[in-house]
Amino acid sequence: MHLIQQEFDELIHTLKKLPTLLAIGKTGGVTLPEDGFSDIDLFLFCKQIPAREVRELNYAILPRSIRVVEFGSEEHAHWGLVDSILIEEQEVYLMYFTRSNFDASIDAILLGERTEREENYFYPTGRLASIQGMYTFYDPDGYLANIKSHVSTYPDTLRDAILSRCLPKIDDEEDFLRAIRRNDVFFFHSTLDLALDRFLQTLFALNRTYFPSRKRSPEFIRGFAIKPEDCEARLERVVALGACPDTLEASYEVWQSLCNDLEHLSL
């Protein structure tokens, strides 16, 4: 890991030389992963994304142990333009964002215009959560610092939008009951998947916390002041009981109880 740290530092030093670059940030803090399974996401904010030939020239001066695996061709709304590289066997994703596009995306989320889960399980509020916890490697003009300040306070517009759109959808009684009558575990789980999404987003909004994704949700919930009693245990019970045709009805009873409690908390 020490060798990877040295090479990672060299990568950051080299990236700073890119033209039009405004800032470099890393999700998950400054520490590099040690489990061998987690990748590294580097956000590179630019006035304009450097052309491929410019990026290639920049990468060419990196140590041989840092290899470019794939070049991105266009800027994706969620992930930017992504160049994939390897430091030894560690995957690193260089995610280039145009400032104007990134700013517009953040503003739309804060205004409550994007409250639903999007393609590939991308949660717009997760982008705000990642910015809050982003470690800054380079920010000479304070661009990233301003963005972090912009999202530091959970806005009422976002909270109200999530409550109004997600809360009414946490209990799709018709589909739940249809799945129970059919003893259809798969249909039950597809219904629960959508309902659980809306439940968690509502719960996080009530606690003015940006919902990052389902990863580590129980850790967040344990620290929440506003939540149904025994919330984590009851959620786990819903999922466990929903795995067997004979216990689908029991699972739904627990779910309805949780939904009623959450609705009362939102009043």
Side-chain angles (χ1 to χ4, degrees):
M1 181 53 68
H2 178 65
L3 178 60
I4 293 177
Q5 182 67 62
Q6 287 182 327
E7 293 174 326
F8 181 78
D9 293 342
E10 182 64 27
L11 171 65
I12 296 294
H13 178 72
T14 302
L15 291 173
K16 290 178 181 178
K17 300 175 183 178
L18 282 166
T20 76
L21 183 69
L22 294 169
I24 303 174
K26 174 184 168 297
T27 56
V30 66
T31 305
L32 299 183
E34 298 181 0
D35 57 15
F37 298 101
S38 301
D39 52 43
I40 297 173
D41 292 337
L42 282 179
F43 285 63
L44 293 99
F45 304 99
C46 309
K47 295 177 184 177
Q48 292 182 327
I49 298 175
R52 171 171 171 160
E53 55 268 25
V54 175
R55 306 196 313 274
E56 282 184 304
L57 287 172
N58 184 266
Y59 302 155
I61 64 177
L62 291 167
R64 289 185 179 180
S65 53
I66 302 179
R67 297 178 290 117
V68 179
V69 178
E70 184 177 1
F71 281 94
S73 58
E74 61 183 29
E75 184 178 4
H76 189 277
H78 298 162
W79 315 117
L81 184 150
V82 181
D83 288 343
S84 303
I85 69 172
L86 285 175
I87 303 179
E88 301 295 344
E89 298 303 319
Q90 174 65 60
E91 293 179 319
V92 181
Y93 296 104
L94 307 180
M95 303 161 61
Y96 291 87
F97 291 89
T98 305
R99 172 175 59 186
S100 58
N101 291 341
F102 193 82
D103 290 352
S105 174
I106 295 304
D107 287 341
I109 299 169
L110 289 170
L111 289 171
E113 296 174 4
R114 297 169 60 193
T115 58
E116 294 288 344
R117 181 181 77 195
E118 298 175 0
E119 59 178 316
N120 296 322
Y121 276 78
F122 177 84
Y123 297 90
T125 52
R127 179 50 45 83
L128 306 184
S130 69
I131 292 171
Q132 281 189 318
M134 190 173 290
Y135 181 83
T136 304
F137 286 103
Y138 177 73
D139 193 24
D141 298 322
Y143 172 75
L144 184 50
N146 287 335
I147 291 289
K148 289 169 74 74
S149 176
H150 190 39
V151 305
S152 61
T153 301
Y154 197 108
D156 289 339
T157 51
L158 178 58
R159 177 185 180 275
D160 294 345
I162 290 177
L163 293 185
S164 64
R165 295 172 192 169
C166 291
L167 189 58
K169 300 177 182 179
I170 60 176
D171 183 9
D172 187 344
E173 185 175 23
E174 182 179 348
D175 278 352
F176 273 119
L177 293 179
R178 185 181 297 123
I180 292 169
R181 286 195 297 270
R182 298 174 179 174
N183 290 329
D184 191 333
V185 172
F186 291 163
F187 184 28
F188 187 89
H189 268 256
S190 68
T191 305
L192 179 61
D193 179 60
L194 293 172
L196 184 59
D197 243 15
R198 277 81 182 247
F199 183 97
L200 291 173
Q201 290 188 73
T202 300
L203 180 61
F204 274 67
L206 285 173
N207 288 274
R208 296 187 179 274
T209 301
Y210 298 125
F211 180 58
S213 70
R214 295 197 190 178
K215 296 177 183 176
R216 298 182 293 278
S217 289
E219 296 177 23
F220 283 95
I221 296 172
R222 278 193 288 272
F224 284 165
I226 304 172
K227 61 182 177 181
E229 186 176 359
D230 297 326
C231 186
E232 308 96 290
R234 290 162 74 189
L235 285 172
E236 291 173 359
R237 183 164 175 76
V238 168
V239 174
L241 291 171
C244 176
D246 294 337
T247 55
L248 294 184
E249 187 171 2
S251 173
Y252 184 49
E253 288 176 358
V254 179
W255 180 252
Q256 279 194 309
S257 175
L258 269 169
C259 291
N260 289 335
D261 289 354
L262 189 66
E263 289 173 350
H264 289 146
L265 290 171
S266 67
L267 297 176

